[in-house]
Amino acid sequence: GAVVSQHPSRVICKSGTSVKIECRSLDFQATTMFWYRQFPKQSLMLMATSNEGSKATYEQGVEKDKFLINHASLTLSTLTVTSAHPEDSSFYICSARQGPYGYTFGSGTRLTVV
Amino acid sequence: GENVEQHPSTLSVQEGDSAVIKCTYSDSASNYFPWYKQELGKRPQLIIDIRSNVGEKKDQRIAVTLNKTAKHFSLHITETQPEDSAVYFCAARGNQFYFGTGTSLTVIP
């Protein structure tokens, strides 16, 4: 079946630094990838939708300059959290779309900003 | 954008009983409604889905119903088992893909 690889699974960074999270579709081409953020015991909140070769569409309230999304190829999308602060600590998870009804999730990234 | 509401937020049932989780959505363009099971710290796992041209779908102990007119859909789990305990999320796909608020299901042995 479709596999999406997300790295890193866990990252701890210092406040003010930037962190890049990668999401790769291993055996299919994903024209669309979604990025979600999940706080403990809460739902997955859609942050942005990225389409290969074009700018990402951000949800209301999500700072595009803080959460940089690049979808440079059909198999790779990256989320960079710039100038991270403790409030950015969260579980980030990507989802890649394959066809009209195929959505595969990455394994998630636990970001802790200290 | 889409607004997906999910109820209840927590649900406890005795082993062997049925569990029902309900979701409503707002975007009439939504045409795909999956359900996910998520265990702590792990990715959501698709358990069943339904498309807008179907009213009901069943897979062993799990079934989903969809009422497009009323914009609501439900997950039914029969003969619940302790391993069904997890957080369940509904989702609705129109132009984007939004999740419901989640239901923490506990099956009591």
Side-chain angles (χ1 to χ4, degrees):
Chain A
V3 177
V4 173
S5 174
Q6 184 173 344
H7 293 281
S9 58
R10 291 179 182 272
V11 58
I12 300 173
C13 70
K14 290 185 177 181
S15 190
T17 62
S18 295
V19 173
K20 179 184 282 189
I21 302 170
E22 290 190 351
C23 182
R24 291 181 184 271
S25 56
L26 298 186
D27 50 2
F28 65 98
Q29 293 182 332
T31 54
T32 303
M33 288 192 179
F34 303 90
W35 285 96
Y36 295 88
R37 182 176 182 176
Q38 187 176 31
F39 291 106
K41 298 186 179 181
Q42 294 190 25
S43 185
L44 287 82
M45 302 302 298
L46 180 64
M47 299 175 65
T49 303
S50 84
N51 293 296
E52 185 267 339
S54 62
K55 291 184 178 180
T57 301
Y58 289 82
E59 293 298 298
Q60 190 173 8
V62 178
E63 298 177 60
K64 61 180 180 180
D65 293 331
K66 181 167 186 62
F67 298 100
L68 300 178
I69 291 173
N70 184 283
H71 194 162
S73 77
L74 288 171
T75 60
L76 174 64
S77 178
T78 61
L79 166 67
T80 302
V81 183
T82 63
S83 187
H85 292 284
E87 57 265 30
D88 298 325
S89 298
S90 190
F91 187 63
Y92 293 88
I93 192 165
C94 66
S95 172
R97 176 177 173 175
Q98 180 188 20
Y101 302 108
Y103 296 86
T104 304
F105 286 87
S107 53
T109 298
R110 175 74 58 193
L111 170 64
T112 303
V113 184
V114 298
Chain B
E2 176 67 277
N3 182 33
V4 182
E5 295 188 358
Q6 183 172 345
H7 299 281
S9 57
T10 60
L11 179 61
S12 292
V13 299
Q14 291 289 334
E15 182 178 358
D17 288 350
S18 296
V20 180
I21 304 171
K22 299 181 179 182
C23 285
T24 60
Y25 62 98
S26 60
D27 187 355
S28 57
S30 291
N31 57 11
Y32 175 61
F33 308 92
W35 286 88
Y36 293 89
K37 177 181 181 181
Q38 187 182 30
E39 298 179 354
L40 190 63
K42 296 186 177 180
R43 77 187 83 191
Q45 296 285 351
L46 178 69
I47 55 172
I48 195 167
D49 58 9
I50 191 167
R51 304 177 190 181
S52 60
N53 58 347
V54 176
E56 184 174 356
K57 183 178 178 181
K58 188 174 182 180
D59 182 4
Q60 298 183 339
R61 297 187 296 110
I62 297 174
V64 58
T65 58
L66 170 65
N67 183 328
K68 281 218 71 177
T69 303
K71 295 195 184 70
H72 66 71
F73 55 112
S74 301
L75 176 71
H76 304 252
I77 306 175
T78 59
E79 301 173 29
T80 53
Q81 301 167 3
E83 50 266 38
D84 294 331
S85 297
V87 179
Y88 290 81
F89 292 100
C90 63
R93 194 279 307 274
N95 291 323
Q96 309 295 359
F97 196 104
Y98 295 98
F99 282 82
T101 46
T103 298
S104 177
L105 172 65
T106 301
V107 179
I108 303 167

